[in-house]
Amino acid sequence: MTIKQQLLQICNERVDKRIQDYKEEIHLIKEAIESNDKGNSEDDDSGNGKLLNDLEKNMAYMNDALKAKDFLKQIKTNVNSTDAVLGSIVKTDSMNFYLATSIGKIELENKEYFAISLSSPIGQLLKNKKQNDRFEFNQTKYVISEII
């Protein structure tokens, strides 16, 4: 398995875990709302207000995770480009980036990669850059040494 395939697999696994966690949380919140409804004979809905708010938040988070999962399906690990594009590994003089979705740090074969989205601020800076290009992010200067 290539490094790109391994990174994509890790991203998919982490997104799947997020989706599963949100599903479980939504299920628990729905159970709590049902329990409150059964045990509450009065017209007092104050307990359900917070639960409904939490339910709405978790459903939005899950929707975002599902979109990330669909987005990851667009990545082709066999495409080689000299430009930084979706699915590229961008190695710089100090960090390695994987242009996929915002997952954060991935450790693989004793190296660190930061999975980032092309729509993130640093992803926008990296987009379509080439080897030896320079960019600055958060007052740190980078030089691209390789794009895989």
Side-chain angles (χ1 to χ4, degrees), residues 108-132:
L108 189 61
E109 297 178 1
N110 297 319
K111 292 183 182 165
E112 288 183 351
Y113 299 87
F114 289 87
I116 61 169
S117 167
L118 275 173
S119 61
S120 69
I122 194 163
Q124 287 294 300
L125 289 173
L126 286 171
K127 191 176 185 178
N128 298 320
K129 293 275 193 244
K130 297 180 182 332
Q131 186 174 339
N132 298 321

Side-chain angles (χ1 to χ4, degrees), residues 4 79-90 99 118 126-131 133 144 146-148:
K4 280 186 176 183
V79 173
N80 290 319
S81 175
T82 57
D83 296 356
V85 295
L86 183 64
S88 293
I89 296 171
V90 179
L99 302 179
L118 275 173
L126 286 171
K127 191 176 185 178
N128 298 320
K129 293 275 193 244
K130 297 180 182 332
Q131 186 174 339
D133 281 353
I144 297 174
E146 184 179 12
I147 295 176
I148 301 173

Side-chain angles (χ1 to χ4, degrees), residues 62-118:
M62 187 171 75
N63 191 36
D64 289 344
L66 290 167
K67 285 179 186 172
K69 180 74 175 169
D70 285 341
F71 192 73
L72 288 172
K73 290 177 185 172
Q74 297 176 30
I75 296 175
K76 305 292 181 236
T77 56
N78 59 347
V79 173
N80 290 319
S81 175
T82 57
D83 296 356
V85 295
L86 183 64
S88 293
I89 296 171
V90 179
K91 295 185 174 188
T92 71
D93 51 344
S94 58
M95 296 177 80
N96 300 316
F97 300 96
Y98 179 55
L99 302 179
T101 190
S102 296
I103 296 291
K105 185 166 74 169
I106 297 173
E107 292 188 31
L108 189 61
E109 297 178 1
N110 297 319
K111 292 183 182 165
E112 288 183 351
Y113 299 87
F114 289 87
I116 61 169
S117 167
L118 275 173

